[in-house]
Amino acid sequence: MTTVTAYEAAKALFEQLLSGASPDELAQRFDEDVDWFIPGDTSVVPWIGRKTGRDGVAEFYTQLGRGAKVKHFQIDTIIGDGDRCVVLGSLRTEVLATGRDIESDFAYDIEVRDGLITRYRMFEDTLAVVRAFQPTTEG
């Protein structure tokens, strides 16, 4: 039996994400009992917050794909070994409803068991996210 480290699982997830995999394909990398959470105001940003199971993971990627366009996503480093890692990088994403960009550094906290992601946390500049959802004011 081959043991998949968190480093390997995270790297494979983000490679698959950037290759254009479907939400359901991405969800298969997660445990059905995944502890998924992205902090922020869910009344403003529909895809963040707590998600449950693979259906919740697929829902996240579906909502993200409908509401935003990733313009830049760069992983600078993945730190860790064994069953837990941290992924650090930066992103720029256009909010389709407003045409405004979210620009932020990010950190992911990822844990795996039996080759599946069991814990997934994303930390980003939540103020930048909320501001990108605000309509521009012409004046």
Side-chain angles (χ1 to χ4, degrees):
M1 180 176 154
T2 303
T3 302
V4 175
T5 66
Y7 175 94
E8 294 165 330
K11 187 171 186 238
L13 170 67
F14 291 115
E15 286 174 353
Q16 189 176 16
L17 174 65
L18 294 173
S19 76
S22 75
D24 289 330
E25 290 170 321
L26 295 167
Q28 293 306 308
R29 295 202 168 271
F30 292 82
D31 187 85
E32 187 55 50
D33 295 322
V34 63
D35 179 11
W36 174 294
F37 185 63
I38 302 174
D41 187 346
T42 57
S43 70
V44 175
V45 186
W47 55 79
I48 63 172
R50 188 160 303 281
K51 301 294 183 186
T52 304
R54 288 186 182 132
D55 288 343
V57 172
E59 175 188 42
F60 166 81
Y61 288 114
T62 298
Q63 290 174 319
L64 180 65
R66 288 181 183 154
K69 177 183 175 188
V70 176
K71 293 181 170 181
H72 167 81
F73 185 90
Q74 178 178 320
I75 293 174
D76 296 325
T77 191
I78 302 175
I79 303 165
D81 67 287
D83 65 355
R84 197 156 186 193
C85 72
V86 174
V87 181
L88 303 173
S90 60
L91 60 81
R92 186 173 66 255
T93 304
E94 179 184 352
V95 175
L96 298 178
T98 64
R100 298 178 78 180
D101 286 351
I102 300 166
E103 290 193 58
S104 179
D105 292 331
F106 62 74
Y108 288 91
D109 173 5
I110 294 174
E111 194 169 337
V112 301
R113 183 181 63 246
D114 298 329
L116 297 174
I117 298 170
T118 59
R119 176 185 169 88
Y120 186 88
R121 297 282 193 283
M122 180 190 185
F123 303 96
E124 61 186 330
D125 182 345
T126 56
L127 181 58
V129 175
V130 169
R131 284 183 174 160
F133 273 82
Q134 296 172 342
T136 57
T137 55
E138 300 291 324

